[in-house]
Amino acid sequence: MVKLNRIYTRTGDDGTTGLVDGSRTPKDAARMAAIGDVDEANSAIGVAVVALRAGGLELAWLPALLERIQNDLFDLGADLATPGAGDSGEDFAPNDMALRIVASQVTRLEDEIDRMNGELSPLTSFILPGGTPAAAALHVARATVRRAERSGVTAARAVSINPLALAYLNRLSDYLFVAARAVNQNAGGDVLWRPGATR
């Protein structure tokens, strides 16, 4: 259970921050960059949820799914902030002391991608990140998730990172891409890239 009585603690004034196991690490460590990018991605998804609700909710089911993903991303941040599993030869299974991303969370994203994509026309061109405000917000979230994935891959070179956390981020960017297409399909379609058209 999380209980926050104070927002500031002054313990990070020396440029370090605490991990789940109580150890401290520099705030600019690769692990912390990945955690920060996941937090930013979560915030971008929050903006997309607000844009969807403000836009009339043609896809009324989508905000609730995105909010579930936001909860997953808090789990994922906790996973990244829990060192030691791979370092000590253990696996990344969740336990009382470690909240971990599990395969079913990745599979759920894949199932939702397949469901949404099955209702879309095939892509015949790359698309531009735009369309409706909600779709544009989803594209910003998608690009931010891609950055979080890159940061996670970088962190995995320095410390042990749950491979399923990285897989989740990879699928999530695909999920957000397809969700943006679904939103735009209900508002006139994708904004297509026209190679060389602005020369």
Side-chain angles (χ1 to χ4, degrees):
M1 178 64 71
V2 176
K3 183 177 181 181
L4 300 174
N5 291 324
R6 295 181 59 188
I7 299 304
Y8 65 89
T9 62
R10 299 190 177 108
T11 57
D13 291 351
D14 64 352
T16 66
T17 191
L19 297 175
V20 171
D21 66 353
S23 64
R24 299 197 65 79
T25 191
K27 290 185 178 183
D28 62 351
R31 180 193 300 273
M32 295 314 301
I35 292 169
D37 286 345
V38 168
D39 184 32
E40 189 175 342
N42 203 341
S43 299
I45 292 171
V47 171
V49 169
V50 171
L52 281 162
R53 290 202 167 115
L57 285 181
E58 294 89 356
L59 301 177
W61 46 267
L62 186 54
L65 294 183
L66 291 171
E67 287 172 340
R68 185 172 67 191
I69 286 167
Q70 286 187 286
N71 197 81
D72 283 352
L73 287 177
F74 251 81
D75 290 354
L76 197 149
D79 190 335
L80 294 177
T82 305
D87 298 325
S88 60
E90 304 165 21
D91 62 13
F92 286 95
N95 59 57
D96 290 343
M97 299 302 295
L99 184 59
R100 299 293 186 191
I101 293 295
V102 296
S104 61
Q105 290 170 291
V106 178
T107 301
R108 188 182 68 230
L109 284 180
E110 292 172 346
D111 291 344
E112 292 174 4
I113 290 167
D114 291 342
R115 181 183 57 76
M116 284 190 293
N117 203 45
E119 299 175 4
L120 297 173
S121 56
L123 279 172
T124 58
S125 170
F126 288 109
I127 63 174
L128 301 181
T132 68
L138 286 164
H139 278 297
V140 170
R142 171 192 55 78
T144 309
V145 168
R146 280 287 188 214
R147 177 157 36 90
E149 181 189 7
R150 291 192 300 272
S151 296
V153 169
T154 299
R157 290 197 189 102
V159 296
S160 294
I161 298 292
N162 180 2
L164 288 172
L166 298 180
Y168 186 94
L169 292 171
N170 186 277
R171 295 310 179 284
L172 179 55
S173 59
D174 294 336
Y175 176 96
L176 295 169
F177 175 80
V178 174
R181 289 198 68 214
V183 171
N184 275 339
Q185 178 170 263
N186 287 318
D190 295 314
V191 181
L192 299 180
W193 173 48
R194 295 174 295 127
T198 56
R199 291 178 182 164

